[in-house]
Amino acid sequence: MRLHDDEFVSTPDLVRRLVAAQQPRWAGLTVRPGPQGGTDHHLFRLGDDLLVRMPKIAWAQDHALADARWLPHLAAHLPVEIPAPLAVGEPGEGFPYRWSVVPWLEGEPPATGALGAEATRDLGEVVAALRAVPTGGGPVKEGTSRGVPLSRLDDDVRAAITASGTRIDGPAVTKVWEQALDARPAAEQTWLHGDLLPGNLLVRGGRLTGVIDWGAMGVGDPAADLVPAWGMPLAAAERADFRATATAGLADPDDAWQRGRGWMLVQAVIALPYYWDRWPAFALASQARIAAVLAD
């Protein structure tokens, strides 16, 4: 499935050649397609215990180095597994980007998108633990990346609301977006994952055991990591539990919650027109997330 006009499509044969040339210790391992990747990486299993992450597009080309620099640091502070790279590969064999080899983490994304009560509480604890990690030297969010002041995304969100047409209730979405803009700015800058949607969460036995795909990580507005409240099906009690756990210790919990609604709209509204034909299932999920924000 090609999601982007300028996407580079990797193949098992390409991965096999890159591994043989640059990481000969793993040259004899079988390469096969892995789980469906997200918007920016193709994934390949390497043997039974490894995974190769191949960027699809230029905006993801720096993820391998950022993961190698920061995920070992973050892993020491978190109560779940995260895929700190074991090796970073260079462009070669016609492939234009750096790529990485990471451990294969056991567990599965929630099949229906719903975590369940215990795993939802676990996720809130991960958000709080990540926020407590010292930020010294960490990559501060810039431009329009997740975690910057919401006002920087205003033009993009309003344009996406217009482009979505009748697929959403434009006036209602605009009202909630403006409420998020009116919330007080973040009182603190903390570490954040930036993309805590169901596909990036691993569950085993009803508990959250892993968080993957850290391409949006950095230091910024912690409200960006409150999107699970609307990004997956949650009962009212589960949403309240997540809110209490994930915002514990914040200096501005109520304003952060309002900004969190805005961050969910940033992800869902901008994705909707872009992926409507490219990835219909993701577009429909974006509609459901918008509806959850409006209903909250």
Side-chain angles (χ1 to χ4, degrees), residues 17-18 27 35 46 49 79 88 100 135 153 161-162 170-172 177 182 207 233 238 259 274 276:
R17 288 185 280 115
L18 283 168
L46 179 59
D49 301 320
V88 173
S100 60
T135 59
L153 283 299
I161 291 171
T162 300
W177 172 243
D182 287 341
R207 304 301 298 267
E238 292 172 341
R259 296 195 310 276
Y274 185 84
W276 187 259

Side-chain angles (χ1 to χ4, degrees), residues 9 17 33 60 64 69 94 103 119 126 133 136 139 154 165 182-183 201 249 259 272 288 295:
V9 179
R17 288 185 280 115
R69 171 66 181 88
V126 168
V133 178
D154 191 31
D182 287 341
L201 309 175
R259 296 195 310 276
L272 183 58

